Amino acid sequence: MNNSFDSSDRIDYLCDRYLQNDMSEEEAKEFLNFAAKDEFLWDRLRGEYITDALLRDIGDTADEIPFIEGRTGARTTKRKKIFHFFNSVLRFSGTAAAVLLITSAIVFLGSRLVERNISEKYIAESALPYAEKENSAAPETTSNALATILKMDQVVWKEGSPLYRTGDIITAGWLRFHSGSLLIEFFSGATVQVNGPADFMVVSQNLAYCASGKVFAHVPPQAVGFTVDVPQMKIIDKGTEFSLNVQAKKTEVQVLKGKVLLDHSSSVIEPLLAGESVLATNDGNIHRIKSISSPPESNLFQTDLSEEQIKRLRNSWDHKMKKIEEDPALLLLFDMEQIDGKTEINRSKNNSSAANGTIVGCQKGIGSFPGKTGLEFRRISDRIRFCVPDDLESCTLFARIRIDGLDRKNNNILMSDGCRSRGIVWSISRLEENKAFIRFDVRDKSSERFFHYHSIPCLDLNDIGHWISLAVVIDAKAGRIYHYLNGKKISEALLEHKFPVQINYAELGNGRTSQVKSQYVLRNFCGAMDQFAIFNRSLNSGEIGEL
């Protein structure tokens, strides 16, 4: 291509003529002659076209996208000035900034490369990537969840009933328990406390059935129409608070605020107002009564723990930590509270060779109970660096964490630097079907082999936002390795490696793999942690349950 100023200026003129839809047949032939001498001219025209299209999109979304034929809409004077400014940057700078500008536009507009073809058809097709095309998207994740358990108090489940925990998502089905209380929040906005013994069924996000139990319901205006079926009738809310005492042959209903409608066997829909109560029996009769004989307590609606409750939780935690730190097998204990600046203090009292940890990026947050501190792991930089140089034939690793998301395929709890020889990787690995399992890998660098000890799939979407405890136990004497979730053994395997593992320099909540073209694979954990411990012996199930 002729690099004289006149030739360059002429090419700019021809590009601008095309973008304005004013290019004549002679000018098109002239442009093709230039392009025959410089194959990169097509890339330049395409870049200028995309820049112009982007400016059109920003400056006047009503304009249609220009094509070589049948274009409509004229460029405004303001857009012309803006285009010429960018055109000057692209023509004279030749810098990475100019390249970045075009590249960003290409990415933003969803462009794709097309084969060079010196014809008007090529120019027309080069505009097509700007128009969004229908892509075959992967199926979206589905859920049949209807409600969630906000709180639980001393619930003793009946045999065969799902063993729900606080924060669990509820699908349609029975909740059967001998004693205790559940606070259930329906997706419609209604909140219901059920006191045992109870047989309570979640039917939909706006409907429940109670065969037995004491119920207290708060229904905001957004959930008007929320209905509780009992054996004798339906209680249809009209924006209210009401309570039920459902027994084998009768149900007592009391309206505390607002109004409900009673739809019973006689097909009569009867209003019940605040302060009124009725008794419905299995023979179809409804009698007015003064009040419910044994009203349910609604203590779980209290939003915050009392000072006394928080004090009891703190005392229990402190007692447990003191017991752990005195264990002669303890090498490392981080409670995410003994922090001096950016240093996480190792609470072990056994003159352990393990040093304190260094906090990189993590911020303080709320731990597993009110008043307890935890450390938040959010960014790819967040981690705690530490060192345990001991050889470990038998050992136990324990962590209490809250999973806020499984952003990576592998989400590290702990990783030895660069996964050194005899080093370990302890992580949560995500499966495509919204399940996850616990990974524990040991590397033998001499044979370039990894020994994989993975749990069964044991985590799913219901675990997001929950505090859970994880433990892995290497028992060299028994020749076994065990995984624990919330104090319960979930899987075990034969110990295949025949050498002591060595954590050495390592990171909590993150980890650096071996470099691939000067890049590190991202495996940072997204969530929080408020306890981590390493013991140089294998703890039994009872001991792990007490951690």
Side-chain angles (χ1 to χ4, degrees), residues 302-494:
Q302 182 179 334
T303 57
D304 299 315
L305 294 177
S306 66
E307 291 185 6
E308 183 61 30
Q309 289 173 313
I310 294 175
K311 184 177 179 180
R312 286 201 303 268
L313 288 171
R314 166 54 67 179
N315 290 339
S316 175
W317 176 271
D318 289 341
H319 175 75
K320 181 168 60 176
M321 288 297 101
K322 289 180 180 178
K323 184 177 179 181
I324 293 173
E325 68 185 6
E326 298 294 341
D327 190 320
L330 181 69
L331 295 177
L332 184 78
L333 175 60
F334 293 155
D335 66 359
M336 315 306 169
E337 293 189 315
Q338 307 296 316
I339 297 174
D340 181 9
K342 301 295 286 185
T343 299
E344 174 70 47
I345 306 298
N346 179 11
R347 288 189 57 167
S348 172
K349 301 297 185 183
N350 304 307
N351 297 318
S352 170
S353 57
N356 296 328
T358 297
I359 301 170
V360 180
C362 301
Q363 301 298 316
K364 287 184 179 181
I366 299 174
S368 53
F369 62 87
K372 173 73 178 76
T373 300
L375 287 182
E376 303 278 346
F377 295 78
R378 298 294 181 188
R379 300 165 297 179
I380 62 173
S381 60
D382 292 349
R383 64 198 74 200
I384 301 176
R385 286 191 56 78
F386 66 98
C387 180
V388 178
D390 310 66
D391 284 349
L392 303 173
E393 291 193 11
S394 292
C395 63
T396 300
L397 282 68
F398 177 87
R400 178 171 283 104
I401 61 175
R402 186 190 71 230
I403 303 172
D404 292 339
L406 298 175
D407 298 351
R408 317 292 179 193
K409 181 178 179 180
N410 295 306
N411 307 264
N412 281 356
I413 303 169
L414 167 67
M415 182 175 182
S416 301
D417 270 6
C419 200
R420 64 178 69 243
S421 184
R422 297 196 291 151
I424 65 172
V425 183
W426 189 23
S427 61
I428 301 171
S429 189
R430 189 185 69 233
L431 297 171
E432 292 181 359
E433 56 270 25
N434 297 319
K435 295 283 187 179
F437 62 93
I438 312 302
R439 296 184 59 146
F440 190 81
D441 302 316
V442 179
R443 186 185 185 191
D444 179 10
K445 193 171 183 179
S446 61
S447 62
E448 291 300 326
R449 178 185 176 187
F450 274 92
F451 295 91
H452 303 293
Y453 306 105
H454 299 168
S455 78
I456 59 172
C458 56
L459 300 170
D460 57 29
L461 294 178
N462 290 334
D463 293 292
I464 301 296
H466 289 289
W467 283 95
I468 63 173
S469 64
L470 298 176
V472 61
V473 177
I474 297 176
D475 189 339
K477 185 176 180 180
R480 310 291 289 179
I481 186 167
Y482 309 97
H483 284 286
Y484 287 82
L485 171 63
N486 295 325
K488 295 182 179 180
K489 187 191 302 180
I490 57 173
S491 63
E492 63 178 276
L494 181 68

Side-chain angles (χ1 to χ4, degrees), residues 2-13 30 34:
N2 188 341
N3 289 322
S4 69
F5 175 79
D6 290 340
S7 296
S8 177
D9 198 46
R10 182 63 178 171
I11 290 172
D12 289 340
Y13 169 78
E30 183 181 0
F34 279 119

Side-chain angles (χ1 to χ4, degrees), residues 159-405:
E159 185 176 355
S161 179
L163 305 181
Y164 285 112
R165 299 171 297 157
T166 300
D168 277 354
I169 300 298
I170 304 175
T171 57
W174 284 101
L175 302 170
R176 303 178 187 270
F177 51 102
H178 294 290
S179 59
S181 300
L182 292 175
L183 186 63
I184 305 168
E185 185 175 47
F186 287 76
F187 289 174
S188 63
T191 307
V192 174
Q193 178 175 319
V194 185
N195 298 340
D199 292 284
F200 187 87
M201 176 187 283
V202 174
V203 181
S204 74
Q205 67 175 5
N206 217 34
L207 173 63
Y209 177 79
C210 184
S212 64
K214 296 179 181 179
V215 177
F216 179 92
H218 168 73
V219 184
Q222 295 82 0
V224 167
F226 177 79
T227 301
V228 178
D229 277 4
V230 296
Q232 299 82 13
M233 59 185 169
K234 297 177 184 289
I235 297 95
I236 305 169
D237 157 77
K238 287 298 178 182
T240 186
E241 288 183 356
F242 63 90
S243 59
L244 308 173
N245 185 0
V246 185
Q247 302 176 35
K249 297 182 180 181
K250 63 180 181 179
T251 295
E252 297 174 332
V253 184
Q254 180 176 12
V255 179
L256 304 173
K257 294 180 182 179
K259 178 176 72 172
V260 300
L261 300 179
L262 306 179
D263 185 358
H264 49 84
S265 58
S266 62
S267 300
V268 175
I269 297 179
E270 184 176 347
L272 197 64
L273 303 179
E276 296 181 335
S277 303
V278 297
L279 170 65
T281 55
N282 288 353
D283 58 11
N285 293 320
I286 293 182
H287 310 280
R288 295 275 175 170
I289 57 176
K290 291 184 178 181
S291 62
I292 288 183
S293 57
S294 180
E297 296 181 1
S298 57
N299 56 299
L300 290 187
F301 276 85
Q302 182 179 334
T303 57
D304 299 315
L305 294 177
S306 66
E307 291 185 6
E308 183 61 30
Q309 289 173 313
I310 294 175
K311 184 177 179 180
R312 286 201 303 268
L313 288 171
R314 166 54 67 179
N315 290 339
S316 175
W317 176 271
D318 289 341
H319 175 75
K320 181 168 60 176
M321 288 297 101
K322 289 180 180 178
K323 184 177 179 181
I324 293 173
E325 68 185 6
E326 298 294 341
D327 190 320
L330 181 69
L331 295 177
L332 184 78
L333 175 60
F334 293 155
D335 66 359
M336 315 306 169
E337 293 189 315
Q338 307 296 316
I339 297 174
D340 181 9
K342 301 295 286 185
T343 299
E344 174 70 47
I345 306 298
N346 179 11
R347 288 189 57 167
S348 172
K349 301 297 185 183
N350 304 307
N351 297 318
S352 170
S353 57
N356 296 328
T358 297
I359 301 170
V360 180
C362 301
Q363 301 298 316
K364 287 184 179 181
I366 299 174
S368 53
F369 62 87
K372 173 73 178 76
T373 300
L375 287 182
E376 303 278 346
F377 295 78
R378 298 294 181 188
R379 300 165 297 179
I380 62 173
S381 60
D382 292 349
R383 64 198 74 200
I384 301 176
R385 286 191 56 78
F386 66 98
C387 180
V388 178
D390 310 66
D391 284 349
L392 303 173
E393 291 193 11
S394 292
C395 63
T396 300
L397 282 68
F398 177 87
R400 178 171 283 104
I401 61 175
R402 186 190 71 230
I403 303 172
D404 292 339

